Amino acid sequence: MTTVRRAVLTLPAAPLGPDNPLPALRAPARAGGHAVDGRTLAGLPRDMARGIGRAPLRSLLPVPVRDGYGRDRVPTDLDTIVIENDRLRVTVLPGLGGRIHSLHHKPTGRELVHRNPVLQPAAFALNGAWFAGGVEWNTGATGHTALSCSPLHAATVRAPDGGPMLRLWEWERLRDLPFQVDLWLPEGSDFLRVGVRIRNPHERPAPVYWWSNTAVPEDRRILAPADGAWHHGYERGLNRVPVPADDTGTDRSYPLNSAHAADWFYDLPEGRRRWIAALGPDGTGLVQTSTDALRGRKLFVWGTGRGGRRWQEWLTGPGAPGYAEMQAGLARTQLEHLELAGGEEFGWLEAYGPLAADPAAVLGDDWAAARAEAERALEDALPRAAVDAAHTAWREHAADAAPETVLATGSGWGALEVLRGGYELPGTPFPESTIGPEQEPWRALLRTGVLPPPPKGAAPGAPLVSAPWRDMLETAPADPSTEYHLGIAQWHAGDRAQAVRSWERGLRGAEVSWPLLYCLAVADREDGHPERAAERFAEAFTDHETGRAGSDSSGGSGGAEAVTAALGREAVTALLAAGRTDRARQLWTRLPDGLRGRGAFRLLEVRILLAEGRPDAARAVFDEGFEVADLGEGAETLGELWARTTDEPLPDAYEFRMRPNP
């Protein structure tokens, strides 16, 4: 019989560390890697162009940046939930975005997904920390979800067949929408069913994004029912190309045939069954299929170039096998967002399981025959009609069912929103009992009209930015903390001039000034005043430094050391950008020794030395060796700085470039 149970998985893991305590006022840097230039946009189908231009993120607010992790991995016990029948064993990580870590096929002893042997955060999520492997659920905006390393609510529910089902749910804060993921294994089935629902409880329409990303061994052939694909690389292009061979004759359905990292969004014909498979030399592997609402399918490859191989090693550890990703989404490409009307929902069903096909056919040169054989094997294993019927049964009998046994608890933000909006969300309760210290001041504002000030000497807490909360802040009694939060909400709404006025008013009476000074510094930088921004960043650092010396409570969220690191990094960077090299050096030397030894600050040291005209000293820092734990996807900074110290080739340890000709 199918069972759902708690378990513990031990992996070498780098601790997540504290969140960045500075409000995320700027759009995520990773969004630039998914941009499309104007000429390309003008040549796309109109509905695709509309989806690409729909509601781009102006900032990461209200979620924090997660950059407190390092590279030191230690054996760590991770809470898991295991779903198991006599055919499959599925291991889920509820505390890490609900990621499926393992999909083990018991009759053959095969692992169907790439199971990462380590847990190593890296700066790939919209808000920072993300890790590779398994099956992840991405919602919010283009990129890896801000919930990649966050806990979800989890509980058992009755599946459509009456057996146990695992429900995962949370409130996604970038788009202010609740979602759920239901996973169940019918008795005797080789296929995991996954029911997904995104709801819009508001009156206004909302932009919606969803991609289910599955990591698979890269020595597979990726098949999908398409003759063409939209190719997206790191040059900001989006071009329709033939599948599987490009104009060079290279068969791109084999991930190891690509030299550089790239995306292929398959252009699936209307009316065709939605599926994608990764099959090995013997014709076996993993297939994912769905109801028609999940329209898109994609292949992502790291490529065989030095940068792609280095990223693989960075994410999975030396000697670990490489992986590619086969993905499924609501739109044709990940650059698009769909519009969900107020009071409506998107829902669909996915299925994941083993596939065995004739290897001569699925690995042959005849692409049409390969696809036909894979689709025939899929229809034999799990008919399309069975997927549609399972979706209907789930939607009618299980999607709204109340959770039974709670297995894990997510954040309290959903409970706060339900309390404010009075929403009825059958199947996904957000009980008020889950409200914690971060949400408590906002519950007080909701009940009393007054936002309680932070404890004496402490920084303001986590922000909220949606229109209802902004309205409450505008009518609340003004004090420095309320002005700080009001300014953040105004900034998020695009009213930057009013945000600056709110922060300036708050600064006049603030006991702890660095949060307001930081916000004003960001505004100066965004408005094209780098010198004034640098001065304010430095002033914010000094205010925190002074407060830290006189009090243990000035750190705010993440603790005093996290504030020192975040403000120090921002201030040194801004001073260098403004040409204030001497000031940058002075501030850098005021940092604690432990911070200056971290990779991000060694990189700052290289930049300072180069600004001082000391390339030999900068080269010596490279030679000593350092690792920047939160290096961004496709980052070329290391290569650019190395080239200013020497004409020698960039060492493999610093090679993270992903463009063909950086």
Side-chain angles (χ1 to χ4, degrees):
M1 294 182 63
T2 300
T3 60
V4 176
R5 57 183 171 84
R6 290 188 182 97
V8 174
L9 171 70
T10 302
L11 285 179
L16 283 172
D19 290 345
N20 190 308
L22 308 179
L25 300 177
R26 286 164 289 178
R30 282 160 291 283
H34 299 284
V36 174
D37 60 73
R39 176 179 294 183
T40 300
L41 195 64
L44 297 177
R46 293 181 63 183
D47 63 331
M48 184 182 291
R50 282 196 302 270
I52 291 174
R54 180 172 286 123
L57 289 181
R58 290 194 292 262
S59 76
L60 279 174
L61 293 168
V63 304
V65 172
R66 313 200 75 174
D67 60 1
Y69 52 87
R71 298 279 302 166
D72 294 328
R73 296 187 288 267
V74 296
T76 303
D77 290 342
L78 303 172
D79 291 332
T80 69
I81 300 172
V82 177
I83 313 165
E84 188 169 10
N85 66 6
D86 61 336
R87 311 290 296 177
L88 284 177
R89 182 168 61 247
V90 184
T91 304
V92 179
L93 302 173
L96 294 164
R99 180 81 60 97
I100 293 178
H101 174 72
S102 169
L103 191 62
H104 179 79
H105 188 232
K106 295 162 76 170
T108 61
R110 286 177 171 153
E111 179 59 53
L112 299 180
V113 300
H114 170 74
R115 183 175 57 191
N116 198 335
V118 303
L119 176 59
Q120 176 57 61
F124 278 58
L126 286 165
N127 64 332
W130 171 88
F131 63 103
V135 185
E136 59 177 306
W137 320 111
N138 291 298
T139 188
T142 299
H144 295 283
T145 177
L147 293 165
S148 291
C149 291
S150 296
L152 304 189
H153 298 280
T156 57
V157 186
R158 287 296 102 189
D161 61 2
M165 178 170 75
L166 172 63
R167 173 162 299 156
L168 305 166
W169 73 99
E170 245 303 354
W171 197 281
E172 200 288 312
R173 302 180 67 207
L174 288 177
R175 300 305 193 184
D176 204 20
L177 301 175
F179 71 95
Q180 74 186 74
V181 180
D182 288 354
L183 305 98
W184 75 99
L185 281 172
E187 188 173 350
S189 175
D190 280 323
F191 282 82
L192 173 71
R193 272 68 162 177
V194 182
V196 184
R197 177 165 63 172
I198 302 172
R199 286 187 275 198
N200 180 6
H202 311 294
E203 295 181 357
R204 54 173 172 79
V208 169
Y209 171 92
W210 183 279
W211 281 79
S212 304
N213 292 4
T214 304
V216 294
E218 64 182 354
D219 60 347
R220 301 289 191 266
R221 190 182 203 189
I222 309 300
L223 297 104
D227 291 314
W230 296 92
H231 173 256
H232 183 257
Y234 283 80
E235 302 81 41
R236 303 182 65 182
L238 187 64
N239 306 300
R240 197 177 188 282
V241 298
V243 172
D246 60 17
D247 55 8
T248 69
T250 303
D251 188 339
R252 301 298 183 185
S253 65
Y254 292 92
L256 291 173
N257 282 352
S258 295
H260 303 287
D263 305 321
W264 281 271
F265 299 101
Y266 296 109
D267 196 2
L268 275 60
E270 291 295 333
R272 291 294 299 273
R273 184 174 186 179
R274 312 300 193 194
W275 61 271
I276 187 169
L279 303 181
D282 62 354
T284 68
L286 173 70
V287 65
Q288 186 270 3
T289 187
S290 72
T291 48
D292 290 351
L294 203 64
R295 177 183 188 181
R297 293 298 186 275
K298 170 192 162 184
L299 166 63
F300 167 76
V301 300
W302 282 108
T304 57
R306 288 206 307 156
R309 305 328 292 173
R310 179 63 174 134
W311 273 117
Q312 294 257 32
E313 181 184 60
W314 186 259
L315 295 168
T316 62
Y323 73 94
E325 289 183 357
M326 62 180 211
Q327 308 180 8
L330 280 175
R332 278 177 290 190
T333 73
Q334 287 176 330
L335 287 68
E336 302 166 73
H337 293 72
L338 304 185
E339 183 175 282
L340 180 59
E344 299 297 324
E345 65 181 52
F346 288 140
W348 63 92
L349 186 127
E350 306 179 41
Y352 296 78
L355 192 67
D358 177 7
V362 294
L363 304 179
D365 294 335
D366 187 333
W367 178 245
R371 287 173 10 219
E373 168 59 15
E375 192 156 345
R376 179 207 61 77
L378 172 59
E379 187 67 18
D380 286 347
L382 185 66
R384 183 179 186 179
V387 174
D388 291 337
H391 175 243
T392 299
W394 168 72
R395 188 63 192 86
E396 293 180 352
H397 304 294
D400 288 345
E404 297 175 355
T405 303
V406 174
L407 301 175
T409 303
S411 77
W413 295 113
L416 185 67
E417 293 301 331
V418 168
L419 187 65
R420 182 199 59 76
Y423 304 123
E424 295 291 335
L425 299 169
T428 55
F430 293 94
E432 192 172 350
S433 60
T434 60
I435 289 178
E438 282 192 309
Q439 297 86 36
E440 191 55 53
W442 297 100
R443 178 162 61 177
L445 173 64
L446 182 62
R447 288 177 170 173
T448 68
V450 178
L451 184 68
K456 183 176 176 60
L464 284 174
V465 295
S466 66
W469 293 108
R470 186 175 71 250
D471 291 344
M472 282 184 267
L473 288 168
E474 287 175 345
T475 58
D479 64 18
S481 175
T482 302
E483 296 285 13
Y484 165 81
H485 283 294
L486 176 58
I488 291 175
Q490 291 164 334
W491 179 273
H492 177 74
D495 192 352
R496 295 191 170 187
Q498 190 59 54
V500 168
R501 286 191 284 271
S502 295
W503 291 328
E504 287 175 339
R505 286 195 304 268
L507 191 59
R508 288 194 287 268
E511 179 185 356
V512 178
S513 299
W514 65 259
L516 292 150
L517 289 167
Y518 167 77
C519 293
L520 290 167
V522 172
D524 283 335
R525 181 160 56 191
E526 296 292 302
D527 288 342
H529 303 293
E531 293 189 359
R532 193 166 68 196
E535 289 299 323
R536 276 183 160 154
F537 279 124
E539 188 180 353
F541 179 84
T542 299
D543 178 76
H544 169 64
E545 186 180 44
T546 303
R548 186 183 185 188
S551 171
D552 292 333
S553 61
S554 63
S557 109
E561 183 176 325
V563 180
T564 301
L567 286 176
R569 197 170 176 181
E570 292 274 8
V572 172
T573 301
L575 289 165
L576 287 171
R580 305 288 185 84
T581 304
D582 290 345
R583 290 283 306 280
R585 165 67 69 181
Q586 292 167 7
L587 196 149
W588 188 81
T589 59
R590 285 156 54 190
L591 295 169
D593 291 343
L595 279 184
R596 291 203 306 270
R598 294 182 187 175
F601 291 90
R602 298 305 306 276
L603 184 62
L604 281 180
E605 183 182 11
V606 168
R607 295 184 59 193
I608 293 170
L609 289 167
L610 289 171
E612 292 171 339
R614 301 167 62 191
D616 290 344
R619 167 64 187 269
V621 177
F622 275 111
D623 290 343
E624 290 173 13
F626 61 90
E627 293 184 320
V628 183
D630 63 337
L631 196 67
E633 179 181 0
E636 299 180 1
T637 303
L638 292 172
E640 292 167 353
L641 295 178
W642 172 266
R644 294 172 60 187
T645 71
T646 179
D647 292 331
E648 297 176 18
L650 182 66
D652 287 345
Y654 300 117
E655 179 59 277
F656 292 93
R657 298 171 296 186
M658 294 167 67
R659 289 190 297 157
N661 295 298

